[in-house]
């Protein structure tokens, strides 16, 4: 299983360091073959001496240049960052990233050899139309994306399940993941209100290769509850 923690706009540099040091103390308990990735806010990126992958939640598709407020590859290389989230629904919905821009970003970071966790997810009104509509919608989010790229994972995060406490049901996750795997044969993570009380049933679903966790990743205790379940 892959356990990825997305801190979003939470934690400081200091609290991230404390968090990672605490996590590192439990590293030896992680099952062989399992993997932990942490995505802190950009100000907390540093050279940490830990056995986890540290990635970024976002970056601009440029080496360096005039992109006020953005961070390019030059800034990531300083900390040896080679993993990035692309296409998160908060960036699509709140920051207004278009599929075209997301595809441009994907292709740029692919060319740089980054490990990409590519996020997709439907809004509630699409889920309410049924499974067929969901798959059709999700497949539009792969427009311009090379799904054959080696260093590529997908995270399915239904928007209505993010931060709401209401995870998708086991049946919904199972059928959507099964269908997605028919099109894209890459590691497939589920995200959306994953927590201690539902990790056992979610991780047991066929075709769930990992989880992408927001709220429950913010405290080491609650994240460890998932990672070591
Ligand atoms: P929550 O786990 O808080 O629902 O967030 C999921 C998410 O968006 C992870 O990227």
């Amino acid at each position: 299983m892959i356990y990825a923690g997305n801190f979003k706009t939470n934690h400081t540099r200091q609290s991230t360091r404390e968090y990672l040091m605490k996590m590192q103390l439990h590293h030896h308990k992680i099952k062989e073959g399992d993997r932990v990735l942490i995505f802190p806010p950009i100000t907390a990126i540093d050279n940490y001496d830990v056995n986890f992958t540290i990635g970024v939640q976002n970056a601009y598709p440029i080496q360096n240049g005039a992109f006020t407020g953005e961070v390019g590859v030059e800034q990531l290389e300083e900390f040896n960052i080679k993993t990035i989230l692309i296409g998160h629904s908060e960036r699509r919905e709140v920051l207004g990233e278009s599929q075209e821009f997301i595809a441009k970003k994907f292709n740029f970071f692919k060319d740089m050899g980054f490990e990409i966790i590519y996020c997709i997810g439907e809004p509630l009104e699409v889920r309410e139309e049924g499974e067929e509509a969901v798959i059709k919608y999700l497949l539009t989010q792969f427009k311009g994306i090379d799904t054959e790229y080696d260093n590529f994972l997908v995270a399915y995060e239904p928007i209505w399940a993010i931060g709401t406490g209401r995870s998708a049901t086991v049946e919904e996750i199972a059928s959507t993941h099964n269908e997605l795997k028919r099109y894209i044969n890459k590691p497939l993570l589920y995200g959306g209100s994953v927590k201690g009380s539902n990790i056992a049933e979610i991780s047991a679903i066929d075709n769930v290769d990992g989880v992408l966790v927001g709220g429950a990743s913010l405290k080491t205790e609650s994240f460890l509850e998932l990672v070591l379940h």
Side-chain angles (χ1 to χ4, degrees):
M1 278 284 286
I2 296 161
Y3 299 89
N6 176 8
F7 284 1
K8 306 188 180 182
T9 320
N10 298 287
H11 275 298
T12 60
R13 170 179 294 263
Q14 185 175 330
S15 67
T16 299
R17 176 171 296 280
E18 286 163 10
Y19 179 103
L20 291 171
M21 293 307 126
K22 254 192 189 169
M23 284 293 291
Q24 183 63 20
L25 294 177
H26 297 271
H27 178 257
H28 63 282
K29 299 183 204 161
I30 295 172
K31 284 194 236 45
E32 214 181 308
D34 283 359
R35 232 188 119 197
V36 174
L37 300 92
I38 305 284
F39 296 86
I42 200 76
T43 57
I45 296 298
D46 207 341
N47 285 310
Y48 296 107
D49 189 15
V50 289
N51 297 95
F52 310 110
T53 300
I54 308 293
V56 284
Q57 301 169 20
N58 181 49
Y60 200 77
I62 200 78
Q63 184 67 27
N64 54 31
F67 301 92
T68 302
E70 295 291 325
V71 159
V73 171
E74 182 177 285
Q75 289 79 37
L76 303 184
E77 279 173 347
E78 183 177 13
F79 301 107
N80 213 14
I81 299 291
K82 292 293 276 177
T83 300
I84 186 168
L85 295 181
I86 293 180
H88 194 283
S89 63
E90 284 150 16
R91 296 212 60 89
R92 292 179 190 263
E93 307 282 309
V94 185
L95 282 305
E97 289 192 4
S98 65
Q99 184 59 33
E100 197 184 353
F101 179 64
I102 288 168
K104 182 178 159 186
K105 209 186 259 193
F106 182 97
N107 285 309
F108 176 87
F109 284 100
K110 174 191 145 192
D111 290 345
M112 301 298 296
F114 270 62
E115 175 181 39
I116 298 173
I117 299 194
Y118 185 72
C119 307
I120 56 168
E122 83 285 359
L124 188 56
E125 60 268 25
V126 174
R127 172 53 70 178
E128 283 170 346
E129 282 175 45
E131 187 65 34
E132 213 180 296
V134 169
I135 296 299
K136 199 169 151 207
Y137 184 92
L138 295 178
L139 291 177
T140 66
Q141 296 187 317
F142 288 102
K143 186 156 187 261
I145 303 299
D146 172 12
T147 57
E148 302 288 319
Y149 175 47
D150 277 348
N151 215 355
F152 171 49
L153 297 79
V154 176
Y156 167 55
E157 300 199 297
I159 297 173
W160 46 272
I162 295 179
T164 59
R166 176 190 162 189
S167 160
T169 64
V170 167
E171 293 71 30
E172 285 167 333
I173 300 171
S175 64
T176 304
H177 275 228
N178 287 345
E179 197 61 20
L180 280 172
K181 281 271 186 171
R182 292 183 48 221
Y183 295 94
I184 295 133
N185 191 18
K186 293 288 171 183
L188 182 53
L189 279 54
Y190 168 77
S193 298
V194 176
K195 49 193 171 217
S197 58
N198 59 22
I199 186 66
E201 58 181 20
I202 290 174
S203 61
I205 301 171
D206 271 356
N207 288 330
V208 169
D209 303 304
V211 285
L212 179 54
V213 187
S217 74
L218 295 180
K219 291 203 168 86
T220 45
E221 294 75 18
S222 52
F223 197 44
L224 281 166
E225 212 185 321
L226 307 185
V227 173
L228 304 177
H229 82 275

